[in-house]
Amino acid sequence: MRLSVLGATGSIGTSTLDLVARDPERFELEAVTAFSNAEALIEMALRLRPRMAVIGDEGKRQVVAEALAGSGIEVGAGKTAMVEAATRPTDLVVAAITGAAGLEPTIAAIRSGTSIALANKECLVCAGSVFLREATAAGVTILPVDSEHNAIFQVFEQDNVERIEKIILTASGGPFRTWARDDMVTVTREQALKHPNWSMGAKITIDSATLMNKGLEVIEAFHLFPLALEQIDVLVHPQSVIHGMVQYADGSLLAQLGSPDMRTPISHCLSWPRRGVAPSRRLDLAEVATLTFERPDLERFPALGLARAALARGEGTTTVLNGANEIAVHAFLEGRIGFLDIAASVEATIEAADRHGLLREPATVEAALELDGESRKLATSLMKAR
Ligand code: NDP
Ligand code: MG
C-alpha cells in the first residue's frame, strides 16, 4: 500500500510511521510533511525513505535539502510543495496536521481522488458539509482516525442506520475533571499539558483539558455519521478504555474497547475494510477492574456547550468557533491569557462575528477558509482589547 503522511512529525504522524516501520513489506511511503521540525523530518526521511519530504517553513528548505542531498529523496518547502505532497498518487493520505492549516492540503488530496485517514478533525469543524461534499464528488472515502469516531465506525451498522438511537463519545475528562471552577482560574500551561491517559500534541491536549476537544468531536461526529445533533451524546469515562458506543433500538449498546494507543485506530484505517496488526498493549480487564462513567459538567467546562450550540446555530458558527479556539489555545500556551479565558474568548468571538454579520454558512471550502481568517483576526483583536 502506498501512503502519504501530512503532519508526519507529530503525535499521530509518528504513530502512523511506527506502524509503517514495523511492516516495510506492506507499506511504501510516497510523501511526508512537517511544518518546522526539520530535524525530525530529516531523521525520519533517512530512516523510512519516502519519495518526497516537505517542510512547511520555507526558511528551512536549505537545511532539509542539504541533509537529504544524494539520498534520492525529493525535497520541497512551503505551501505549494505541501499541496504537491498531498496530491501525489497514493492509496491513502493520512491527514495529521493540526488545526485548520491542514484543510488546504487535505482538500487537495481529496480533489486528486485519494482516500483520507482523517485525524485532523479541525477540517470538519471548519468546513464540515463542503468538505464532505467534495469527498463525495471525488468518490473518495474518509476514514476516521480519531479514537472515538473510529470506535463508533467499528460498531456502526450501516445497514441498520434507522435502528440507531444514538452514539456516545467517551471523554477522559482531562486533568481538571474533579476541579472546582474557581481553582481553574490559575491553571498553568504545564498543568494543562498533563493529560491523564493520552500522549498527544499540545493543541489537542489543551482542547482535552477544556473539553473543547469533545465539542469539536461532537461536530466531527455530526458530519461523519448520518445522525441529528440530539443523537450524539458525550459521557465522561476517566479510564479511557471504552472509546465509543452505538445504541440500537433493540436495546443493544455496542462498544469498542482498547488501551489508549492511537496505533489501534490508525491501524484500523490503514487496513480497512480488513484488519491489520498493531502493537498496542492488550487490555487486561481484570487488571482494569473498574470502569466508571459521569455526565459532563457544562458549568465547569463551558466549551463543550459552546460547540454544541455552535453546531445547532449553523456551520458558519463552527468555522468561527474553530478559528477562535485555535487563537485562544495558542495565546494560553504563550502565557498571554488564562485557562478559563479560552472558552470565554471563543464565546466573545462568536458574538462579535454575529454582530459583524459573519455567521453565514460557507458555500465552498475556500469560503470556509476565508471565514476562518476573519474569525482569527476578530479573536486576536478582542484579546488585545481586553
Ligand atoms: P502534533 O502537534 O503532534 O503534530 C502536528 C503535525 O502537523 C506536525 O507534523 C507539525 O509539524 C504539523 N503542522 C503543524 N502546524 C502546521 C501547519 N501550519 N502547516 C503544516 N503542518 C503543520 O498534533 P497531533 O498529532 O496531536 O494532532 C494532529 C491532528 O490529529 C489534530 O487535528 C488532532 O486534533 C488530531 N488528533 C490527534 C490525536 C492524538 O492522539 N494526538 C487523537 C485524535 C485526533 P512540526 O512537527 O514541524 O511542527
Ligand atoms: Mg478523540
Side-chain angles (χ1 to χ4, degrees):
M1 160 183 236
R2 206 165 1 150
L3 205 64
S4 288
V5 184
L6 310 177
T9 47
S11 164
I12 294 288
T14 46
S15 290
T16 306
L17 294 170
D18 178 71
L19 293 173
V20 168
R22 284 165 190 273
D23 200 349
E25 304 270 283
R26 183 165 162 232
F27 297 109
E28 202 181 314
L29 267 186
E30 181 63 35
V32 293
T33 78
F35 181 58
S36 60
N37 193 345
E39 207 177 304
L41 181 71
I42 292 163
E43 183 280 320
M44 172 203 305
L46 290 173
R47 186 163 47 87
L48 297 172
R49 302 275 159 176
R51 291 206 180 83
M52 184 185 202
V54 170
I55 186 93
D57 182 349
E58 297 259 13
K60 301 214 165 138
R61 178 201 298 266
Q62 188 83 4
V63 188
V64 179
E66 276 170 19
L68 299 185
S71 67
I73 302 167
E74 217 176 298
V75 172
K79 263 195 172 173
T80 322
M82 193 78 70
V83 167
E84 197 205 321
T87 53
R88 288 166 77 114
T90 50
D91 300 310
L92 192 70
V93 164
V94 178
I97 290 174
T98 191
L103 183 54
E104 217 173 318
T106 306
I107 205 73
I110 289 175
R111 286 175 182 165
S112 75
T114 313
S115 287
I116 309 287
L118 186 71
N120 189 188
K121 65 190 92 186
E122 293 91 348
C123 285
L124 289 175
V125 182
C126 175
S129 301
V130 285
F131 181 92
L132 289 169
R133 212 183 297 151
E134 295 247 9
T136 308
V140 308
T141 308
I142 307 291
L143 297 164
V145 169
D146 208 349
S147 58
E148 298 76 5
H149 306 73
N150 184 269
I152 289 163
F153 180 59
Q154 291 195 35
V155 292
F156 194 101
E157 296 177 7
Q158 296 289 348
D159 293 343
N160 281 312
V161 169
E162 74 287 358
R163 293 279 179 267
I164 291 176
E165 289 179 345
K166 64 173 182 180
I167 59 173
I168 301 164
L169 306 166
T170 55
S172 71
F176 312 124
R177 179 176 61 87
T178 58
W179 286 39
R181 191 164 162 79
D182 286 349
D183 295 336
M184 289 186 230
V185 175
T186 53
V187 155
T188 64
R189 180 182 189 276
E190 284 63 37
Q191 286 171 314
L193 281 173
K194 261 202 200 97
H195 194 280
N197 304 340
W198 297 92
S199 152
M200 312 180 284
K203 195 261 178 181
I204 183 175
T205 305
I206 301 302
D207 284 347
S208 299
T210 59
L211 253 63
M212 179 60 92
N213 182 51
K214 217 43 59 177
L216 303 181
E217 290 185 356
V218 167
I219 298 166
E220 181 185 13
F222 176 80
H223 292 297
L224 288 172
F225 303 104
L227 300 170
L229 174 56
E230 303 71 50
Q231 291 174 289
I232 305 170
D233 252 12
V234 170
L235 190 62
V236 174
H237 165 44
Q239 296 82 19
S240 298
V241 165
I242 297 180
H243 303 300
M245 297 178 251
V246 179
Q247 182 177 300
Y248 290 88
D250 63 2
S252 297
L253 185 60
L254 299 196
Q256 186 262 2
L257 291 73
S259 59
D261 185 330
M262 289 307 294
R263 290 176 300 182
T264 294
I266 295 167
S267 165
H268 183 258
C269 293
L270 297 187
S271 302
W272 185 85
R274 303 193 58 80
R275 279 198 186 263
V277 178
S280 321
R281 200 163 63 81
R282 301 316 189 234
L283 265 186
D284 179 344
L285 286 174
E287 189 185 304
V288 174
T290 313
L291 298 180
T292 61
F293 305 93
E294 302 157 19
R295 272 180 236 296
D297 182 343
L298 298 186
E299 305 251 304
R300 286 185 302 130
F301 297 100
L304 177 55
L306 276 178
R308 287 194 88 100
L311 182 56
R313 200 156 162 183
E315 281 186 41
T317 317
T318 69
T319 312
V320 173
L321 171 103
N322 184 66
N325 182 55
E326 286 193 37
I327 294 293
V329 170
H330 186 65
F332 171 73
L333 285 170
E334 289 194 334
R336 286 185 277 116
I337 64 170
F339 182 73
L340 293 180
D341 298 331
I342 299 174
S345 155
V346 171
E347 186 172 19
T349 308
I350 292 174
E351 280 164 13
D354 190 17
R355 285 195 302 276
H356 286 74
L358 292 173
L359 298 182
R360 292 177 309 272
E361 184 157 335
T364 59
V365 170
E366 286 67 24
L369 280 169
E370 205 169 300
L371 181 53
D372 171 68
E374 296 287 337
S375 69
R376 284 164 198 267
K377 271 189 236 153
L378 211 48
T380 308
S381 67
L382 288 171
M383 227 172 260
K384 281 193 188 130
R386 274 161 81 106

